[in-house]
Amino acid sequence: MAAHPDNVALGAEAIKAAGQDEGREIELTKDVSAPDYKASLDGHSDLRAPTEEELHTLRRVPEKIPWNIYTIAFVELCERFSYYGTTAVFTNFIQQPLASWTGANPDPEGKAGALGMGQRASTGLTTFNQFWQYTMPLFGAYIADSYWGRYKTIGWALGVDILGHIILIISSLPPIISNTNKSGSLAAFVIGLITMGFGTGGFKPNVNPLIVEQLDLETMTVITLPKTGERVIVDPAVTATRVYHYFYLFINIGALVGQLTMVYCAKFVGFWLAFLLPTIMLCLCPAVMLYGRKRYRRVPPQGSTLGKSFKLFHMANKGRWHFNPVATYKHMHDGTFWESVKPSKIAPAQRPSWMDFNDAWVDEVARGFNACAVFLWYPLFWICYNQINNNLISQAATMRLGGVPNDVLTNLNPFALIIMIPLLDTLIYPGLRKLRVRVTPIRRIAAGYFVAASAMIWACVLQYYLYQKSECGSYASGEDCPPVDISVWAQTGSYVLIAFSEILASITSLEYAHSKAPANMRSMVQAVALFMNAISSAIGFALVYLASDPYLIWNYGVVAVLATIGGIAFWLQFRHLDQEEDHLNMLPKGEFGVKAEDEAAAGKPEVADPGALSYPKDEKVDTTKA
């Protein structure tokens, strides 16, 4: 991409940078009179877009993170505490037999339990829960993008989520789980899962974009650092990377504390307490959201943008499908798929009535669809991660525990994340940027697949030795089989490697979904990214047969192979996006609800509308410490 920026005039004028990529002229504009832009670059008088040379030579830095973001991150911390605190004990609640009136079992080698349905049933129910929790975000995203907006949707979702947690508490009350007939407890448990899914569906796809929408800068800008005189590029993509890293840090602090404490609550007190405390923590979330009601910047819903984007996609497909697959492929990849449906390419009389947007919005929709395509390989990554929620917990139950609950080892995952995220953000990534080494999203995601596969290889080898040393041979999980004389801490490698793969693939998916989606479709693109976990859960259903003795070696081996295939296929298909990363991040903001001829008649450039956002008053964000 070649960029030729002009000198920038401040005030009501716009920063403009003309760029060319593969023969296409791109105009980048940003109204610096908008309050967000002036606040974020307060104190800098040399604002301009970077040249092509500067894109390759100047160091890239994030802008300062505003306080509002930390309050939203705290809401996510509480919500994840409630989710992971409850799900951490699901496997034992379902699989293990009732150990006492409350389900607790303080014996050093004992395991808490309630329903006693076995490993296959526990794997099936926890897999269903993962599928449900990650399917419902599609519904929540549609409501937010089209009708309610993110803030209102989150508020209602939290209320539904609290209701679901209350039903879980009822399912675990001692008089209910101690009843000989377990159907009442099981029914309440399943209803609680389903209700929680509705709540999570409205919360997860909306809190991710809401947190980054509190940032100010939306285009790359060259500034001079006052202390050193160094010229740097303030890059919104780098800022989003930092925000999502610390956002994920908050998630895992909540997950670690929730999982660790609730596992011990279940073991020494009972499941009712393990479900009650997360519910209390979740009840803090509405109070924090109410505090930020007039402080958060909010993008209002814009009606039928989702429907129009699919109409646009359908229109672009017309005439491109043939009986000959080779001809179809060539026609779909001839470079005109989205260009042909831009309003400027269609005569006014032939445009459909719903085409009330400009060419830039078509580019944004194309970028959003391409982001969704990137996520299509993610199920093969998530199927590795999902092993820590069921099969690895069951594997731990066959090992020498030494007084540690079998489901406490899952906390190694968030613990490793809490250590590695600050190291990467403060040392590794800045060091690579100083060396002018760009670790692009595509490279990070591809590496994540291979690291996840290595975690499953670790689990596979460990399972082999468990079968070799067990008195029961390949039936080490048998109820009457004594624990194998291998320490449960031998699982550490799997959990740490999974944590590292999350940083590379999972965090990057949040960042990619936000940066590549149109502002009025961010929740939906986030939901598509989350939905990939649901698809992995569906694949997991096909592997449930392998989730028991004597097939567990095959279970981990197959999952490792699938992740490796996914990583190779992902890299081969999307490696070209590395070269287009800056171009995709610098596309002009599209306008929705405007006719192309009206825009041309007015002679206005494609400038982001500052009135489209709801801004808090007197907000100042400083980047002088970048």
Side-chain angles (χ1 to χ4, degrees):
M1 182 185 68
H4 311 281
D6 300 323
N7 293 332
V8 178
L10 299 179
E13 301 181 13
I15 291 178
K16 297 181 180 179
Q20 187 175 9
D21 180 70
E22 299 180 357
R24 291 184 297 162
E25 290 294 329
I26 303 166
E27 186 181 50
L28 305 174
T29 66
K30 176 71 181 181
D31 185 358
V32 297
S33 66
D36 62 323
Y37 203 75
K38 292 172 72 176
S40 67
L41 298 176
D42 185 53
H44 297 283
S45 58
D46 56 344
L47 305 180
R48 60 180 177 82
T51 64
E52 172 69 12
E53 180 182 358
E54 288 169 336
L55 284 172
H56 292 90
T57 58
L58 295 187
R59 183 166 64 96
R60 304 190 183 202
V61 299
E63 63 173 311
K64 186 177 179 181
I65 300 176
W67 169 250
N68 280 353
I69 283 181
Y70 292 103
T71 64
I72 300 174
F74 178 75
V75 170
E76 175 72 353
L77 183 153
C78 295
E79 191 273 342
R80 291 292 89 182
F81 179 104
S82 71
Y83 178 78
Y84 285 107
T86 53
T87 57
V89 299
F90 278 179
T91 297
N92 279 356
F93 182 84
I94 301 165
Q95 177 177 344
Q96 305 298 337
L98 186 68
S100 66
W101 191 56
T102 64
N105 188 350
D107 184 85
E109 298 298 326
K111 295 171 280 289
L115 300 183
M117 297 176 64
Q119 181 173 350
R120 193 166 291 177
S122 70
T123 300
L125 273 174
T126 54
T127 301
F128 164 76
N129 180 56
Q130 293 157 13
F131 176 82
W132 180 249
Q133 299 284 339
Y134 289 101
T135 298
M136 292 311 295
L138 294 171
F139 173 74
Y142 176 75
I143 293 296
D145 281 340
S146 300
Y147 301 106
W148 286 0
R150 283 182 258 284
Y151 180 85
K152 182 178 179 180
T153 305
I154 289 173
W156 279 99
L158 287 171
V160 174
D161 205 3
I162 290 171
L163 176 61
H165 277 74
I166 293 173
I167 298 174
L168 280 186
I169 296 171
I170 295 172
S171 75
S172 64
L173 291 175
I176 295 179
I177 62 172
S178 61
N179 193 308
T180 305
N181 186 351
K182 304 293 185 183
S183 59
S185 177
L186 177 62
F189 180 78
V190 172
I191 293 172
L193 291 188
I194 293 173
T195 307
M196 283 174 57
F198 281 107
T200 303
F203 182 85
K204 283 299 292 180
N206 295 306
V207 71
N208 294 341
L210 178 67
I211 199 167
V212 179
E213 284 171 355
Q214 307 312 305
L215 295 173
D216 300 288
L217 195 60
E218 295 182 358
T219 57
M220 287 189 282
T221 305
V222 176
I223 64 170
T224 301
L225 298 180
K227 291 185 178 180
T228 63
E230 179 189 6
R231 287 189 305 127
V232 297
I233 298 174
V234 181
D235 190 344
V238 175
T239 307
T241 298
R242 164 166 282 187
V243 167
Y244 276 125
H245 271 78
Y246 282 98
F247 180 61
Y248 215 74
L249 178 67
F250 272 68
I251 288 175
N252 282 278
I253 291 173
L256 175 63
V257 178
Q259 289 178 166
L260 189 60
T261 54
M262 294 312 104
V263 164
Y264 279 96
C265 284
K267 182 173 179 63
F268 292 102
V269 180
F271 288 102
W272 67 270
L273 184 63
F275 292 157
L276 173 63
L277 294 181
T279 306
I280 294 173
M281 197 71 173
L282 185 61
C283 290
L284 298 176
C285 296
V288 178
M289 293 300 296
L290 187 62
Y291 161 83
R293 186 168 64 91
K294 294 185 178 180
R295 293 175 173 85
Y296 297 148
R297 184 178 304 150
R298 292 180 263 169
V299 176
Q302 296 192 17
S304 56
T305 57
L306 182 64
K308 290 180 181 180
S309 66
F310 279 104
K311 288 179 180 179
L312 191 69
F313 179 73
H314 179 263
M315 185 177 182
N317 272 280
K318 287 184 177 179
R320 296 180 181 273
W321 291 84
H322 311 278
F323 287 108
N324 185 342
V326 176
T328 299
Y329 179 85
K330 288 182 178 179
H331 211 172
M332 295 287 285
H333 295 84
D334 62 3
T336 65
F337 186 88
W338 294 103
E339 288 291 320
S340 63
V341 292
K342 288 185 175 180
S344 63
K345 304 289 185 180
I346 304 173
Q350 297 179 344
R351 287 180 204 149
S353 58
W354 49 263
M355 191 172 278
D356 58 347
F357 42 79
N358 61 2
D359 288 2
W361 194 76
V362 177
D363 286 330
E364 284 191 310
V365 171
R367 189 175 61 177
F369 271 91
N370 288 335
C372 292
V374 166
F375 301 141
L376 291 180
W377 290 105
Y378 262 77
L380 300 184
F381 165 80
W382 285 119
I383 198 172
C384 290
Y385 173 84
N386 289 341
Q387 300 301 307
I388 73 175
N389 296 321
N390 40 56
N391 286 322
L392 286 179
I393 296 175
S394 299
Q395 184 187 68
T398 68
M399 304 172 72
R400 189 178 72 248
L401 299 177
V404 176
N406 68 301
D407 44 5
V408 82
L409 265 290
T410 59
N411 295 284
L412 286 173
N413 175 265
F415 184 75
L417 283 163
I418 290 170
I419 294 174
M420 287 191 285
I421 286 174
L423 285 176
L424 285 167
D425 182 71
T426 58
L427 294 176
I428 306 301
Y429 286 155
L432 291 174
R433 286 197 292 266
K434 285 185 178 180
L435 295 173
R436 307 300 187 264
V437 177
R438 294 191 63 200
V439 186
T440 61
I442 298 301
R443 293 176 186 174
R444 277 180 274 156
I445 293 170
Y449 283 90
F450 299 116
V451 176
S454 66
M456 292 301 100
I457 293 173
W458 185 296
C460 183
V461 172
L462 179 58
Q463 188 65 47
Y464 169 80
Y465 281 104
L466 288 172
Y467 282 163
Q468 290 293 308
K469 292 195 172 188
S470 174
E471 294 181 10
C472 305
S474 296
Y475 293 87
S477 301
E479 187 173 327
D480 298 325
C481 189
V484 181
D485 190 23
I486 297 178
S487 173
V488 72
W489 296 101
Q491 289 187 317
T492 300
S494 288
Y495 285 109
V496 172
L497 288 170
I498 282 289
F500 187 39
S501 73
E502 281 186 81
I503 294 175
L504 295 172
S506 179
I507 296 178
T508 307
S509 73
L510 301 177
E511 168 195 338
Y512 204 81
H514 175 84
S515 64
K516 301 301 183 288
N520 46 28
M521 289 177 59
R522 282 174 179 159
S523 290
M524 182 53 65
V525 176
Q526 287 280 0
V528 171
L530 294 170
F531 182 63
M532 296 303 105
N533 206 324
I535 294 178
S536 77
S537 298
I539 297 173
F541 275 118
L543 299 177
V544 165
Y545 181 76
L546 300 178
S548 62
D549 295 330
Y551 307 113
L552 288 167
I553 293 176
W554 282 98
N555 175 76
Y556 298 120
V558 168
V559 170
V561 170
L562 289 175
T564 302
I565 292 172
I568 294 171
F570 175 88
W571 176 250
L572 292 177
Q573 182 175 356
F574 298 112
R575 66 186 187 278
H576 68 280
L577 294 179
D578 271 348
Q579 286 73 41
E580 301 177 20
E581 181 66 17
D582 284 335
H583 159 63
L584 292 173
N585 289 337
M586 296 170 68
L587 286 175
K589 181 171 290 188
E591 292 187 8
F592 188 86
V594 59
K595 296 288 186 179
E597 62 270 20
D598 296 337
E599 183 181 87
K604 294 180 180 179
E606 294 173 349
V607 179
D609 178 15
L613 296 174
S614 173
Y615 294 95
K617 293 182 180 179
D618 302 324
E619 181 185 79
K620 281 250 180 181
V621 179
D622 183 18
T623 60
T624 57
K625 297 181 181 180

